[in-house]
């Protein structure tokens, strides 16, 4: 993409033209970028990026919209991170990707299987990024993603076995949902699947657990952090004391300084339940969020309940939920949406997007009232992140 | 020695499928290749210095058992993306 000057372009009317929206779609077989104008009526898909690579996450840097990082590996080759400074026109590979310390002689060391999650750093730290890996690992870059170092306060913490010793998820244990308090760059949250939610007040040197109020699978002890599975945790950017969570066992809200999660998913229709992977927050209204429920009954099919996919939204912080399925398939549609594969833009009204496991990208430009398929026939989708097209 | 580069790694070597190098062991060879092509080694050797599970390295068609395997100047070394059941 041709880079433009920072001065905003102006429409014929003289008003500044709103920048367009892009969707960064990461899949099991490469990545794609969908582009649209600010009206979000027509979308154009790119050629595949990193074709054949397993791309778990692709994220824009809000501090410099030209920068995108992509976490990738292949079936044979080890994990790495690619970085673009021209919004995907060209890419360079990390000189030192996330990797655990080499173990002392005679001991078995951990090996990063894949980088699962990318989070741009606090606005006060240009070039800083955090990454979560499988198996559980937390890594930091201070140079825009070129080199990465382990966060020893997590990776080497003596309490790590208490957090990370549970049953791994089917595709390997994952550290995800790395959240930075916009008021305090040292105040962090993260999610462990499995392992619960952790909070740090000192930039990641030490951590405490936040699992009060969370249910666990019947037969486990809820006081054992290792059996907690927060699928996706979000912090509201304008009300950072409010967190939401889509868990393996329900949908929750947490209003700090309380440390007890409230299961707001109990207000979902019983026939649908409150199991799923993603949760998405309204960029301006802390009471509004969206989820994409999946079937968590019997053997956990992880499909749309009853073959009828739908987004559910709450406008009152989880006291009530509304089904939003206009435009979505009405029957015999058995897909689901993974934890990173649903996101919102920051326009008004808010655009909501999700990528499904069967390779379709769906979008709504009216906060979920009406849905349209934006792309199909893509590989299994792992992540969909919104981005602002650079001016 | 001649080093055969699989297609999956040719993005590092500028598209070259064969390169010439000299080294006394597989480990020394891969470190030399990483100096020439930054990032190359970590894609096939993990942080615990183990060859990744779906990668094989052969010396004159025999699979090298470890990174310590010795090399001679007239060896043919191949880095192979292993068949993994599909």
């Amino acid at each position: 993409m041709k880079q433009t000057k920072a001065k905003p372009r102006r429409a014929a009317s003289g008003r500044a033209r709103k920048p367009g929206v892009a969707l960064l779609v990461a899949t099991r077989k490469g990545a794609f970028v969908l582009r649209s104008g600010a009206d979000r009526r027509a979308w154009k898909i790119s050629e595949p990026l990193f074709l054949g690579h397993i791309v778990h996450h692709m994220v824009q840097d809000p501090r410099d919209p030209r920068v995108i990082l992509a976490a990738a590996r292949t079936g044979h080759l080890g994990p790495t991170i690619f970085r673009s400074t021209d919004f995907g026109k060209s890419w360079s590979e990390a000189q030192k990707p996330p990797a655990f310390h080499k173990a002392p002689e005679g001991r078995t060391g951990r090996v990063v299987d894949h980088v699962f999650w990318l989070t741009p750093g606090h606005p006060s730290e240009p070039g800083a990024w955090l990454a979560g890996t499988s198996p559980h690992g937390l890594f930091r870059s201070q140079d825009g993603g070129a080199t990465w170092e382990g966060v020893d306060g997590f990776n080497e913490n003596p309490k790590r076995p208490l957090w990370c010793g549970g049953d791994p998820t089917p595709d390997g244990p994952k550290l995800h949902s790395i959240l930075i308090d916009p008021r305090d760059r040292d105040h962090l949250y993260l999610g462990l699947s499995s392992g619960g939610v952790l909070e740090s007040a000192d930039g990641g040197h030490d951590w405490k657990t936040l699992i009060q109020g969370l249910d666990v699978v019947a037969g486990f002890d809820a006081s054992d952090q290792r059996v907690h599975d927060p699928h996706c945790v979000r912090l509201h950017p304008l009300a950072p004391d409010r967190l939401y969570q889509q868990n393996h066992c329900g949908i929750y809200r947490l209003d700090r300084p309380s440390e007890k999660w409230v299961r707001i998913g109990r207000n979902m229709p019983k026939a649908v339940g409150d199991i799923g992977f993603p949760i998405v927050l309204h960029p301006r209204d802390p009471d509004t969020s969206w989820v994409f429920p999946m079937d968590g009954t019997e053997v956990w099919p992880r499909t749309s309940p009853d073959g009828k996919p739908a987004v559910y939204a709450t406008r009152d912080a989880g006291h009530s939920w509304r089904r939003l399925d206009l435009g979505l398939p009405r029957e015999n549609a058995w897909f689901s949406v993974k934890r990173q594969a649903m996101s919102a833009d920051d326009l008004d009204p808010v655009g909501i997007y999700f990528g499904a496991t069967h390779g379709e990208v769906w979008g709504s430009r009216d906060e979920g009232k009406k849905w349209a398929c934006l792309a199909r026939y893509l590989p299994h989708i792992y992540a969909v992140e919104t981005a602002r097209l650079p001016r | 020695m001649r080093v055969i580069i699989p297609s999956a790694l040719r993005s590092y070597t500028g598209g070259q499928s064969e390169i010439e190098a000299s080294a006394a062991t597989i480990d020394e060879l891969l470190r030399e290749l990483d100096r020439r092509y930054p990032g190359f080694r970590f894609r096939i050797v993990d942080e615990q210095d183990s060859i990744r599970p779906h990668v094989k390295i052969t010396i004159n068609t025999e699979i090298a058992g470890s990174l310590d395997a010795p090399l001679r100047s007239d060896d043919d070394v191949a880095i192979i993306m292993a068949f993994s059941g599909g």
Side-chain angles (χ1 to χ4, degrees), chain A residues 53 75-80 93 97-103 109-112, chain B residues 8-9 12 38-39 42-44 46-49 52 54-55 81-84:
Chain A
H53 280 70
H76 295 93
L77 303 178
T80 193
E93 186 181 340
F100 291 110
H101 294 310
K102 187 165 175 10
R110 293 191 295 271
V111 172
V112 173
Chain B
L9 288 168
Y12 292 88
F42 190 68
R43 303 304 299 275
I44 55 177
D46 68 32
E47 57 265 59
Q48 305 305 330
D49 286 338
R52 295 192 183 276
H54 303 292
V55 174
M81 302 295 105
F83 305 125
S84 304

Side-chain angles (χ1 to χ4, degrees), chain A residues 1-4 9 19-20 22 35 60 64-67 86-87 387-391:
Chain A
M1 172 176 288
K2 184 180 178 183
Q3 293 186 30
T4 57
R9 289 173 292 176
R35 290 178 170 83
Q60 182 183 43
D64 181 350
R66 298 165 300 178
V67 172
D86 53 14
F87 203 74
R388 278 295 186 93
L389 288 173
R391 292 182 187 275

Side-chain angles (χ1 to χ4, degrees), chain A residues 259-313:
Chain A
E259 296 190 0
K260 187 171 184 179
W261 296 87
V262 176
R263 189 167 180 175
I264 56 176
R266 294 203 188 282
N267 302 319
M268 286 279 288
K270 292 289 180 287
V272 174
D274 65 342
I275 305 304
F277 276 114
I279 187 164
V280 170
L281 310 191
H282 192 291
R284 293 173 292 277
D285 177 8
D287 288 342
T288 295
S289 63
W290 294 265
V291 294
F292 192 96
M294 69 180 185
D295 188 342
T297 61
E298 297 181 1
V299 297
W300 272 68
R302 293 177 169 83
T303 55
S304 302
D306 202 26
K308 298 172 181 173
V311 170
Y312 279 77

